[in-house]
Amino acid sequence: LVARLPEPTFRLPREKPPPRPRPPTRWEQFARLKGIRRRKRTSLVWDEQAKEWRRRWGYKRAGGDPARAWLAEVPAGADPEEDQFARLRREKRERVARNELNRLRNLARAHRAGAAGPAAPLHPTGHQSREELGHVARVARVSTASLGRFQPRLPKEPAEPPSRNGGRKRRFEPLLGNLAAERSRQLELLRDMGSKKPVLDITRAVNKQLRQEEAEAAAAKGKKQSQRGKRGRRQQRVGRSGKKSGARRQQQRPAGSGTGGR
Amino acid sequence: MRPLTEVETRAVFGKLGRYIGENIQLLVDRPDGTYCFRLHRDRVYYLSEKLLKVAASVPRDSLLSVGTCFGKFTKTQKFRLSITALDFLAPYAKFKVWVKPGSEQSFLYGNHVLKSGLGRITENTAQYQGVVVYSMADVPLGFGVAAKSTQECRKVDPMAIVVFHQADVGEYVRSEDRLS
């Protein structure tokens, strides 16, 4: 009793991901609309002149070699002086160019459609984040006949001025705008910046330590009485309560009080 | 020419504040007229409202400079103070350094200030604090950054750098073409 098993088939996994469906081209859309179906064309055509089957296009095509066409009739209503051969060549070039343009356009459309990605749904699902909901609310606001200009706002909704460029281009304040307002804004900014100045605790502590060390060293070495007196006075002047904020301290101190090598 | 944005204003005021502290208010809010900052081709200019109105009628490509140039924004949007701001910052400077006559010339050539050339320094200067450099005759020479705090200045050896050079009035001659 022998069981014949089928031949083993080995299916390799895909190396690259499968191609994603591309959007239909303009012709494909039109054809679907009109119900036009593809008809397979025969590759050979009966050439009456040569009495045989010739290709539809290419080498030894039916209808003769277009490069050897020795006659180009002037159509009724055309200018008799016009060069018909030149016209034929120009029209062929234009046809080819138009075809190429449309091909590239379709390609670009497909590429753009793929890059955008699946759009977030505008109807409420249960799983939308805060940003998504904000975006959807903004879209809903703008989807009116006056593009959201007269829509009432909720109590806490911030009033956004409509950005004409959709958030693409930077807009600056006008050059000669309200100068008083600009000045008050700058003063406000200065206040904000000033209040957050960090207190230089560590530096002051280090300096204080250095001063103390200096004083001890001077006293220990027994320097001249006048110098010690001077240094002592300097220390008394300088050694105030150490942890005040730098801004307040600098305000009280007159600028330019010097110490040093003199 | 356009006004500064919020970010740019912060950068400019932060830099100016390193040298003059909260006295920037005196620059922004002046009793003798409305003065403002404007940006033109990456340079920040300080000018009066009267001058601004006149300059507004000059086409952008033709406008070279307006008012006083305080500095410029580099390609990476950092603000760099220039020497042309000295006249406005020197009177309001918080921390000053006086340089001895011997090493004045050295500073004006663009070198740092050594301890041997240091005349006086404001008490309580922190390290890396922005300072204005003066000659002994109280003539402002330029800007610098204190390399050592006042306390440390007393203890270092004479060849140590005490003030890093940032800008000096010698640049009016040296980099005449690069100044705005």
Side-chain angles (χ1 to χ4, degrees), chain A residues 175 179 182 211 257 259, chain B residues 3 22 38 49 121 123 151:
Chain A
L175 177 63
L179 285 176
E182 183 187 332
R211 276 200 299 275
S257 61
T259 54
Chain B
E22 71 281 347
R38 287 293 181 266
E49 178 191 0
I121 183 166
E123 186 65 47
Q151 297 295 323

Side-chain angles (χ1 to χ4, degrees), chain A residues 21-151:
Chain A
R22 55 175 175 73
T25 65
R26 277 178 66 84
W27 166 253
E28 280 172 4
Q29 286 170 2
F30 177 74
R32 190 181 310 147
L33 207 63
K34 287 283 200 173
I36 302 170
R37 295 235 287 264
R38 260 196 86 89
R39 279 167 210 219
K40 208 147 160 70
R41 288 166 133 191
T42 60
S43 47
L44 296 177
V45 192
W46 176 251
D47 188 2
E48 196 53 55
Q49 273 260 306
K51 299 275 192 305
E52 61 173 1
W53 289 94
R54 286 256 170 102
R55 285 161 220 249
R56 187 182 289 277
W57 50 268
Y59 181 60
K60 285 192 187 151
R61 68 181 70 173
D65 184 8
R68 291 218 190 182
W70 52 270
L71 180 69
E73 288 182 8
V74 178
D79 177 23
E81 302 294 314
E82 194 189 357
D83 184 358
Q84 295 305 313
F85 295 107
R87 181 182 62 86
L88 289 170
R89 275 199 306 273
R90 188 184 64 234
E91 282 181 353
K92 170 130 180 114
R93 226 179 301 135
E94 281 168 11
R95 278 197 307 261
V96 168
R98 194 180 322 128
N99 194 17
E100 184 64 21
L101 178 70
N102 285 329
R103 184 184 74 87
L104 291 174
R105 272 205 206 134
N106 283 328
L107 213 61
R109 206 173 291 126
H111 182 75
R112 221 178 336 123
L122 290 178
H123 58 85
T125 67
H127 316 285
Q128 279 163 315
S129 71
R130 188 155 181 257
E131 286 82 25
E132 280 175 31
L133 287 171
H135 169 70
V136 167
R138 220 174 307 133
V139 167
R141 152 175 294 280
V142 172
S143 312
T144 59
S146 13
L147 300 180
R149 276 182 66 190
F150 304 110
Q151 289 294 103

Side-chain angles (χ1 to χ4, degrees), chain A residues 200 204 246 249-250 253 255-256, chain B residues 17-21 90 92-98 121-126 129-134 142 144 146 150:
Chain A
L200 298 172
R204 189 141 297 135
R249 188 147 182 183
Q250 285 158 19
R253 163 169 301 280
Chain B
R18 288 169 68 88
Y19 292 90
I20 61 179
Y92 303 123
K94 295 227 134 250
F95 296 98
K96 304 182 185 179
V97 166
W98 284 262
I121 183 166
T122 318
E123 186 65 47
N124 263 342
T125 315
Q129 170 74 44
V131 295
V132 177
V133 175
Y134 288 80
T150 316

Side-chain angles (χ1 to χ4, degrees), chain A residues 1 6 12-13 59 126-127 134 139 162 174 189 213 230 236:
Chain A
L1 208 59
L12 279 172
Y59 181 60
H127 316 285
V139 167
L189 181 70
E213 283 172 9
K230 267 190 197 167
Q236 274 175 19

Side-chain angles (χ1 to χ4, degrees), chain B residues 39-169:
Chain B
L39 190 81
H40 178 60
R41 289 192 197 167
D42 286 335
R43 285 178 201 268
V44 175
Y45 295 98
Y46 181 66
L47 59 158
S48 64
E49 178 191 0
K50 192 161 55 78
L51 188 58
L52 176 64
K53 287 187 172 161
V54 170
S57 60
V58 177
R60 258 177 235 179
D61 296 337
S62 315
L63 189 65
L64 280 181
S65 175
V66 211
T68 320
C69 174
F70 264 33
K72 65 180 214 174
F73 277 99
T74 64
K75 286 281 189 275
T76 50
Q77 298 308 313
K78 296 190 179 48
F79 182 64
R80 200 180 176 84
L81 201 60
S82 84
I83 190 59
T84 40
L86 185 64
D87 290 332
F88 287 93
L89 301 195
Y92 303 123
K94 295 227 134 250
F95 296 98
K96 304 182 185 179
V97 166
W98 284 262
V99 160
K100 286 185 187 152
S103 63
E104 218 178 88
Q105 181 135 30
S106 163
F107 181 72
L108 288 179
Y109 272 112
N111 302 318
H112 303 304
V113 177
L114 306 179
K115 169 76 191 300
S116 52
L118 182 70
R120 283 194 287 161
I121 183 166
T122 318
E123 186 65 47
N124 263 342
T125 315
Q127 197 180 21
Y128 308 131
Q129 170 74 44
V131 295
V132 177
V133 175
Y134 288 80
S135 73
M136 289 320 269
D138 272 339
V139 173
L141 295 178
F143 302 123
V145 171
K148 305 259 186 289
S149 65
T150 316
Q151 297 295 323
E152 289 175 43
C153 273
R154 290 200 198 112
K155 310 176 78 171
V156 293
D157 59 301
M159 282 290 119
I161 297 175
V162 291
V163 175
F164 294 124
H165 168 281
Q166 297 266 287
D168 64 277
V169 291

